[in-house]
Amino acid sequence: MPMWNLLLQKRLVLLVLVVGLGALLAWLDLHDTDPSRPDPEARAQEPSHVVENATLTRFDTHGRRHQILTTPLLTHTPERATTQLKEPQVTLFDSQQRRWHASARRGTIDRRELLTLTGDARISAPEQGWQLDTEQLHYDSDNAYAYSNTPVRLQQPPQHMQAQRMELWLNHDALRLTGDVRGYHPAEAFNEDTP
């Protein structure tokens, strides 16, 4: 019997070692801090599409184009539902198909399709000869509505105006400046040939 006892003790010790080693490996696996493992939050910030020299054209419900956007670099991140634009150049069309131009150093299109231009943002009406400069400009293409909550400067040389905020309705050719509005409007020179 002593031989049988010794064999049983060896098997019991071996079983305890195997179970203990398995438990240790399971514990190490749960607390693994391997930096090579992908971080799900970091992956959510990674773009899924990167497009160089992109041109995007949006159409209204009647099939007429109402926005053409060109950018040297477009990155789309589906987890955040945003599209980042580098140096976007945008041609906007109002309901009468008049062209308006907008540009900035950076741009973003969010999940509501709102275009935000940031960094030296500008919108201009070439046919009317004016331009508006601001740090951040938002544009809702479905309603042809632009606004800025940062200081703006409106110019139509030699006239210029400044304000804290602005709203622009392209379809109605209407602009509203609000907050500490100031401007320079030189008087027209008297024309001697006019009676």
Side-chain angles (χ1 to χ4, degrees):
M1 282 249 198
M3 185 64 111
W4 184 78
N5 248 351
L6 187 60
L7 188 60
L8 186 60
Q9 284 178 346
K10 285 183 181 180
R11 285 186 181 183
L12 187 59
V13 168
L14 187 60
L15 178 65
V16 168
L17 283 175
V18 169
V19 170
L21 184 60
L24 178 64
L25 288 174
W27 182 81
L28 287 174
D29 191 46
L30 286 175
H31 294 87
D32 188 11
T33 57
D34 183 8
S36 66
R37 281 190 152 188
D39 179 6
E41 287 185 32
R43 290 190 54 85
Q45 305 300 320
E46 292 178 4
S48 67
H49 305 300
V50 177
V51 181
E52 293 181 351
N53 301 317
T55 299
L56 307 172
T57 304
R58 291 195 63 196
F59 297 89
D60 64 14
T61 55
H62 303 291
R64 294 177 300 205
R65 62 187 176 178
H66 68 121
Q67 180 178 313
I68 300 173
L69 185 146
T70 59
T71 179
L73 184 64
L74 175 149
T75 56
H76 178 69
T77 308
E79 294 293 328
R80 292 182 3 213
T82 59
T83 303
Q84 302 292 321
L85 311 163
K86 178 182 178 185
E87 299 172 358
Q89 300 286 323
V90 188
T91 301
L92 309 168
F93 297 89
D94 63 19
S95 58
Q96 298 169 9
Q97 291 296 290
R98 292 179 297 189
R99 292 174 186 247
W100 305 67
H101 299 288
S103 62
R105 287 189 303 216
R106 296 173 307 283
T108 304
I109 301 172
D110 68 11
R111 69 181 75 232
R112 297 172 297 147
E113 298 296 323
L114 179 70
L115 172 64
T116 301
L117 300 174
T118 308
D120 298 328
R122 172 176 289 170
I123 187 167
S124 63
E127 293 175 11
Q128 299 165 349
W130 64 260
Q131 76 179 32
L132 185 135
D133 298 292
T134 186
E135 185 56 30
Q136 188 172 68
L137 178 72
H138 305 278
Y139 182 68
D140 174 0
S141 61
D142 291 335
N143 298 306
Y145 170 68
Y147 66 95
S148 178
N149 293 320
T150 59
V152 298
R153 179 178 171 89
L154 175 67
Q155 305 178 70
Q156 186 176 26
Q159 304 175 75
H160 59 84
M161 297 184 75
Q162 295 175 333
Q164 295 300 309
R165 293 171 299 285
M166 82 82 189
E167 293 180 277
L168 172 63
W169 295 268
L170 273 60
N171 291 339
H172 304 291
D173 203 12
L175 172 73
R176 177 188 303 157
L177 299 174
T178 55
D180 195 25
V181 179
R182 296 180 308 240
Y184 172 72
H185 306 280
E188 291 185 30
F190 180 75
N191 187 347
E192 294 179 9
D193 297 335
T194 345

